[in-house]
Amino acid sequence: MAKTPRGIRNNNPLNIRYNPRNNWVGQTGNDGQFCKFESPKYGVRAAVRILQKYAGNDGKTTLSEIINKWAPRTDGNDTEKYIATICKDMTIRATDTIDVHDRGTVVRLLFYMARVECTQKALDAAHIGVWDFIDGWDLANYKYEKD
């Protein structure tokens, strides 16, 4: 039997790395490398906030720029394959701009990214679906004192 992917075990379907400077809403700890969340929607919430930071602070707005920062080759990722998979799934080009303030765009992008990070089979087995991504978006766009 295959081992459950780390992102599923941690309720972190986007595999957000742990950083002691971040104290995400819904974060329950870490596994030494990656954040653990109380539910997948809080992992998605953190991912939405990170994407919005990429655009606002770092000027990363194209799919290629976002994925190169999210899953860099220096971390052992096949970044080009990751980008190609998302392009195919979303029927967009790597150079297309991602509107990180558009709910539908971000929900679709993060859902497809989670499929790369954890596999669709694992998401299905854990009953993680599009509603978790919608809830994560909604949570990210409310104001919290914590982050």
Side-chain angles (χ1 to χ4, degrees), residues 86-105:
I86 301 300
C87 285
K88 180 178 181 261
D89 289 345
M90 291 187 70
T91 61
I92 63 172
R93 295 181 308 268
T95 56
D96 284 352
T97 298
I98 302 296
D99 182 352
V100 299
H101 300 288
D102 179 75
R103 183 185 198 211
T105 300

Side-chain angles (χ1 to χ4, degrees), residues 7-105:
I8 302 297
R9 293 191 314 269
N10 290 347
N11 287 320
N12 182 358
L14 284 302
N15 285 321
I16 297 167
R17 287 199 178 273
Y18 172 70
N19 182 327
R21 293 177 298 191
N22 296 328
N23 189 16
W24 299 111
V25 170
Q27 184 177 335
T28 60
N30 68 82
D31 69 3
Q33 283 190 302
F34 294 88
C35 297
K36 290 183 173 185
F37 294 96
E38 64 184 70
S39 72
K41 68 184 177 185
Y42 286 102
V44 173
R45 179 197 178 277
V48 171
R49 297 295 296 254
I50 292 167
L51 282 183
Q52 291 173 342
K53 179 191 173 294
Y54 284 2
N57 296 351
D58 301 338
K60 308 288 186 207
T61 58
T62 68
L63 177 66
S64 179
E65 290 170 333
I66 289 168
I67 301 301
N68 272 293
K69 184 159 177 130
W70 192 276
R73 184 175 298 283
T74 55
D75 283 357
N77 296 296
D78 187 343
T79 306
E80 293 307 312
K81 183 178 178 185
Y82 199 134
I83 293 167
T85 299
I86 301 300
C87 285
K88 180 178 181 261
D89 289 345
M90 291 187 70
T91 61
I92 63 172
R93 295 181 308 268
T95 56
D96 284 352
T97 298
I98 302 296
D99 182 352
V100 299
H101 300 288
D102 179 75
R103 183 185 198 211
T105 300

Side-chain angles (χ1 to χ4, degrees), residues 121-139:
K121 185 177 179 179
L123 291 171
D124 290 347
H127 305 286
I128 298 171
V130 71
W131 289 110
D132 293 295
F133 291 82
I134 292 169
D135 288 348
W137 165 270
D138 291 344
L139 287 167

